[in-house]
Amino acid sequence: MAWFQRVGPWLPLGVVAADAALVWSGVLPLRDAVIVGICLEVVTWTVLVTRLASAVRCYREARRRGVSGWMALERGTARIMPARLARLMVYEPRMWICLTRWLTGQRPARAPGRAAYHHEKTLLFATLAGLLGFESLLTHLLLLAIVGNTWWVWALFAIDVYTLAWILGFYASLVVLPHQLDATTLRLRYGYLSEVIIPRSAIRGVRPARRPENTKGKLVTNPDGGAGYYTSGPASIAIDLDPQARLTYRGLPVTEPIRTIYLTADDATTVAASWRAATAQSPAS
């Protein structure tokens, strides 16, 4: 049903347009066109409702596997529209939520069991946001001085501000969505873009380990060596796993067995010691 994900949202409008074209061209009398249109609309909406039900089932299944609500929503929405469009639709509100939480001073990485991974990117994002903000303000003032107070000048300025909000929003998501070890799972995150879920009972050991791999929030596996890399910079922690454990990446099960997963975390020595002690005390492990 991949074709439906591409054209499904436009089917009702397409049916109406095709029916109107048949009437206008004289191929069908108005009465017959109305009957044909009603039949096509019934079929179209039946398919749409069926796909909507499939999306709801996909969402619930992902939630049962422990996937976050946002990631499960993305998976469900991808059943009724292109996956990239579904991803953007979910990213938009989540970006604003993360930006609001960051601006209001929320720092969840300081809580027990959580680990930050954004410090190495702070200077990069500060420089990028500063340059874009300065360039946008300077360009806007020059345009106002040259062409005056016109609507398109303010439209360009609004686009720059919106772009700046996305940059800051992504950085904010790195801050307010840290890695998290709770009673049942270890969630490894890369802002709002992705997450890896590891059952807590599958953790066999946690240790500092410097590796140069940088996957920028993508889970890269090496089936031969049983290693996985999920980093936002150079890897700083290695987690030894039960290779039979079922990991989840972006709401989908990981099929390759992973014996060791490498990740990025600030203050790796402290985080590794904390997680090692917490998992050692877990009866399940």
Side-chain angles (χ1 to χ4, degrees):
M1 297 290 287
W3 65 271
F4 183 84
Q5 293 176 313
R6 293 191 296 270
V7 304
W10 307 101
L11 279 178
L13 181 60
V15 168
V16 173
D19 210 28
L22 290 174
V23 174
W24 180 80
S25 62
V27 175
L28 283 178
L30 180 59
R31 177 177 174 277
D32 294 343
V34 170
I35 295 174
V36 171
I38 292 175
C39 292
L40 290 176
E41 286 291 340
V42 169
V43 172
T44 300
W45 283 106
T46 300
V47 175
L48 285 173
V49 171
T50 301
R51 298 305 295 173
L52 181 60
S54 175
V56 172
R57 287 195 300 270
C58 180
Y59 171 84
R60 291 178 175 175
E61 179 184 352
R63 292 295 287 155
R64 282 196 296 269
R65 293 200 305 267
V67 178
S68 68
W70 288 103
M71 201 63 65
L73 179 62
E74 178 187 326
R75 286 295 162 194
T77 307
R79 292 295 183 92
I80 56 177
M81 64 179 60
R84 291 184 179 179
L85 179 58
R87 194 172 300 167
L88 288 175
M89 288 185 64
V90 175
Y91 284 172
E92 176 81 22
R94 200 173 190 194
M95 180 273 291
W96 288 109
I97 291 173
C98 291
L99 184 58
T100 301
R101 292 176 61 190
W102 178 60
L103 292 176
T104 54
Q106 297 188 39
R107 299 293 184 271
R110 299 171 183 172
R114 301 185 180 184
Y117 51 90
H118 65 274
H119 284 270
E120 289 189 359
K121 287 184 165 41
T122 300
L123 180 60
L124 172 63
F125 276 92
T127 302
L128 183 60
L131 289 175
L132 178 60
F134 176 77
E135 181 271 336
S136 299
L137 182 60
L138 181 61
T139 301
H140 181 66
L141 292 176
L142 288 174
L143 288 175
L144 285 177
I146 296 172
V147 301
N149 189 15
T150 60
W151 68 269
W152 63 267
V153 172
W154 287 101
L156 289 176
F157 185 66
I159 292 174
D160 285 340
V161 172
Y162 185 68
T163 303
L164 181 61
W166 270 97
I167 294 173
L168 293 176
F170 177 62
Y171 175 76
S173 73
L174 300 179
V175 177
V176 303
L177 297 173
H179 302 317
Q180 179 177 350
L181 176 67
D182 58 30
T184 58
T185 59
L186 172 61
R187 295 180 183 271
L188 307 178
R189 295 176 170 128
Y190 186 61
Y192 53 69
L193 295 182
S194 63
E195 69 177 6
V196 173
I197 300 176
I198 302 172
R200 180 169 173 154
S201 59
I203 300 175
R204 297 291 178 259
V206 186
R207 52 191 165 83
R210 298 294 298 182
R211 298 288 293 265
E213 289 82 2
N214 182 357
T215 65
K216 298 180 180 178
K218 297 179 180 179
L219 179 62
V220 178
T221 59
N222 180 2
D224 296 333
Y229 302 92
Y230 182 76
T231 58
S232 57
S236 55
I237 289 181
I239 301 178
D240 299 316
L241 304 172
D242 177 0
Q244 303 300 320
R246 297 295 299 272
L247 278 60
T248 301
Y249 170 62
R250 290 190 55 83
L252 297 175
V254 178
T255 57
E256 299 88 350
I258 298 178
R259 296 183 179 87
T260 303
I261 187 168
Y262 296 88
L263 62 133
T264 304
D266 304 329
D267 195 7
T269 302
T270 301
V271 171
S274 173
W275 285 357
R276 183 168 57 247
T279 53
Q281 295 171 3
S282 174
S285 60

